[in-house]
Amino acid sequence: MTKATARQDGTIKLNPVKKGIVRGNADSVLIILTTILSVFGMVMVFSASYYNAINDNGTPYSYLWKQAFFVFSGFVIMYIVSNMNYNVWKAFAYPMGIIGVIMLVLLFTPMGRTFNGATRWLYIGVGNVGFTIMPGELAKLFLIIACSTYFATDMSRGRSLRGILGVFLYTAIVGALIIKQPNLSTAITVVIISVGIAFVAGMHWRYLVLMAGGAVAGGYYLMFIDDGYWHERVTSFMDPFQDALGSGYQVVQGLLALGSGGLYGKGLGQSVQKNLYLPEPQNDFILAIVGEELGFIGILGLMAVYALLVWRLFYICIRSKDNFGMLLSAGVAIMVASQVILNVAVVTSSMPPTGIALPFVSYGGNSLWIFMFLIGIVLNVSRYRNIDEEDEV
């Protein structure tokens, strides 16, 4: 391989080019897309939380300032992680997996905190001095790193039943603990991430068919046989207006918001449903406020940015210089895509209403920080390229 260099006398000198890996700049497109979504999220959190903030804290800016802090600190996290060689995470992969399970178990101890009937927060501290974390969100990050390390160590594992059984057993344990919170959508996300990484690692499609059959069987059981909590949650979304003031209240208010927005929306800040009708509109149902204020066009634009983000993540995945970087990038792409799809499905009453954040847009620090952390890892993956990818003749 040679590279041409022009001399002053007009002749061309051919220089040998050594192959290898070099460290360059992080992917600027990924940074721009992440920034667009994060800034848009701050604007929509401020709009969606306006009346809730006044009602809860006496000022319309309380959620805005908190979200601004989450975004700023998230970019700091992203910057730091993007400058750390992504291979360093291999050493922490399995300890992370163990810690993730321990944290999920601790939710069902006095350290767990329950809000709106769900135990998803772990309190770390003494008395009133401390903070809360969401083990379910951390479990997704830990799973991406652990699965990527496991398959990258020996890619043949993805092509054998024995190789994938261990990963799926671990995923089943994590998923069961998350369902117990209860949090069905996060459990589904965990399974999708695990299966997706295994598929990228070479898992045969026939295993996907078997898993799909298991999922259908489980859904049938919840809808037509079980008569407990999950039966009510799974079946209520099929006709939320049947109990519009009870189990279907939040979904109904979200649908009213989406429907009243029409094609172009009522205008930024003009939502009616956020005026204490739609519960916690700045959180999982923020897409309903986007639809009401910015209309179908606004949602379409937002989905286009998400599509570009997922494409860029897979683009980096394909160009990764080793299996570990490829699997990490694929895992992050799968996580972002699945959460967007599940959030849209929940808001449009296409699946049971369980908590799932809209990436970079929903209010909250745990989810945003984890996404920023993962984007930082992918940015570091994007820094490494072959020398022979430079302009050559």
Side-chain angles (χ1 to χ4, degrees), residues 74-253:
F75 273 106
V76 172
I77 292 171
M78 185 181 77
Y79 175 77
I80 294 173
V81 175
S82 70
N83 284 283
M84 299 172 62
N85 189 304
Y86 62 92
N87 285 290
V88 73
W89 301 112
K90 289 181 180 179
F92 300 98
Y94 299 137
M96 281 181 173
I98 296 171
I99 291 172
V101 172
I102 293 174
M103 292 175 67
L104 288 169
V105 171
L106 288 176
L107 282 173
F108 309 104
T109 70
M111 295 177 66
R113 294 293 183 269
T114 302
F115 181 71
N116 286 340
T119 307
R120 301 173 186 171
W121 296 265
L122 194 64
Y123 182 75
I124 308 296
V126 179
N128 294 325
V129 180
F131 58 93
T132 58
I133 56 177
M134 297 182 70
E137 296 296 321
L138 283 171
K140 291 181 282 190
L141 183 155
F142 295 163
L143 186 68
I144 289 174
I145 295 176
C147 286
S148 299
T149 301
Y150 175 78
F151 287 117
T153 302
D154 182 1
M155 291 295 284
S156 66
R157 290 171 173 171
R159 297 187 292 273
S160 68
L161 181 60
R162 178 182 297 179
I164 63 176
L165 275 179
V167 170
F168 291 160
L169 177 61
Y170 174 77
T171 304
I173 294 172
V174 172
L177 289 171
I178 292 174
I179 287 177
K180 188 174 175 59
Q181 294 179 6
N183 192 343
L184 180 62
S185 52
T186 298
I188 293 174
T189 305
V190 165
V191 172
I192 292 174
I193 290 170
S194 179
V195 173
I197 293 176
F199 187 74
V200 173
M203 184 181 71
H204 198 279
W205 62 268
R206 66 173 174 267
Y207 297 129
L208 289 178
V209 175
L210 291 174
M211 290 178 217
V216 171
Y220 180 86
Y221 173 80
L222 292 175
M223 293 175 66
F224 301 107
I225 299 177
D226 180 60
D227 59 355
Y229 171 85
W230 283 114
H231 173 78
E232 179 183 351
R233 297 289 287 184
V234 169
T235 56
S236 65
F237 82 95
M238 300 173 68
D239 185 10
F241 289 90
Q242 186 176 8
D243 189 13
L245 297 179
S247 60
Y249 180 78
Q250 188 174 34
V251 174
V252 167
Q253 298 304 315

Side-chain angles (χ1 to χ4, degrees), residues 13 98 100 155 170 194 216 232 258 261 279 296 350 360 379 386:
K13 179 183 179 182
I98 296 171
M155 291 295 284
Y170 174 77
S194 179
V216 171
E232 179 183 351
L258 288 172
F296 177 75
S350 301
F360 305 101
L379 285 173
N386 282 330

